[in-house]
Amino acid sequence: MRFFTAVTNMMLINILWLICVIPVITAGAATTAAYYALYQNLTNEDSAVVKPFFRAFRQNFKQATLLWIPLMLIGLLLGLDAVYLVGNHPGQFHVLWVAFFVIALLYAIVVSHAFAIMGRYDAPTGQIVRNCFLIFFMNLFRSVLIMVLTVLPILILLFLPQQVVRTLPLWILLIFGLLFFANAHMFLQSFRKSDAAYREQTAECAPQDAYDA
């Protein structure tokens, strides 16, 4: 029963997240809501995921969207840079490739961590971005795995669209929910390890009720 309940919750998160990211601009709020609902579920705060999802979506909509918009624009610029570099400097060392990979790494850290932290803590956006790097370097192996799981579906969608079409029902029903579930598990472990340092930096910021250390 626990297994089937977990699978059902992953499917619900998958469907809710896909519906809420359709406008694109709402992707940040949808991702924050998905993490919040799973934190509630995994820590036995709430056995349901639908109500927590929409509650977090409403509560974090403004902050998450204001963070997501510049991240989305930066991601588009990085994509254009990648196209330029592949077209003009393919297979050769160039200082622009170094700059690109450094910026892309910093970007991936923020994108993969910021909304998960936002689903856990009430904190100013600047502090959330800074603590992306705090949690990343304090939990390096786990954070790298989270970052890979976050970026992997994007790469599959870009480079293997035919395989996505063949397995479309899984993408609609389960894939994203499964990745959120795995990442949420690892984030809770990272929060336990990083909580003392995080709370020291955010002493005046009250945590949301998604996770009680």
Side-chain angles (χ1 to χ4, degrees), residues 4 21 24 41 70 77 92 96 99 181 210:
F4 285 113
V21 299
V24 180
N41 185 259
L77 289 175
Q92 56 180 289
L96 290 177
F181 188 82

Side-chain angles (χ1 to χ4, degrees), residues 99-122:
F100 172 80
F101 281 117
V102 170
I103 296 172
L105 175 61
L106 297 176
Y107 176 79
I109 291 172
V110 175
V111 167
S112 61
H113 284 65
F115 302 107
I117 295 173
M118 193 177 295
R120 163 67 177 91
Y121 288 97
D122 280 324

Side-chain angles (χ1 to χ4, degrees), residues 1 25 43 104 117 142 195:
M1 288 301 297
I25 200 172
T43 56
I117 295 173
R142 192 180 297 124
D195 207 50

Side-chain angles (χ1 to χ4, degrees), residues 6 41 50 68 85 107 113 119 123-124 149 169-170 172 195:
N41 185 259
V50 177
W68 168 245
L85 290 170
Y107 176 79
H113 284 65
L149 289 178
L170 282 177
I172 294 174
D195 207 50

Side-chain angles (χ1 to χ4, degrees), residues 16-120:
L16 291 173
W17 184 79
L18 284 175
I19 291 172
C20 290
V21 299
I22 289 174
V24 180
I25 200 172
T26 58
T31 303
T32 302
Y35 276 118
Y36 177 88
L38 284 172
Y39 293 156
Q40 290 273 37
N41 185 259
L42 291 172
T43 56
N44 298 315
E45 294 290 332
D46 196 331
S47 59
V49 293
V50 177
K51 287 184 178 179
F53 181 94
F54 285 113
R55 181 167 66 246
F57 187 86
R58 290 192 303 269
Q59 291 175 349
N60 296 282
F61 181 82
K62 181 178 179 181
Q63 184 182 20
T65 303
L66 289 176
L67 176 59
W68 168 245
I69 290 174
L71 288 176
M72 179 175 61
L73 296 176
I74 293 170
L76 290 174
L77 289 175
L78 286 172
L80 293 174
D81 288 341
V83 171
Y84 170 81
L85 290 170
V86 169
N88 292 274
H89 304 286
Q92 56 180 289
F93 175 80
H94 195 281
V95 67
L96 290 177
W97 275 114
V98 178
F100 172 80
F101 281 117
V102 170
I103 296 172
L105 175 61
L106 297 176
Y107 176 79
I109 291 172
V110 175
V111 167
S112 61
H113 284 65
F115 302 107
I117 295 173
M118 193 177 295
R120 163 67 177 91

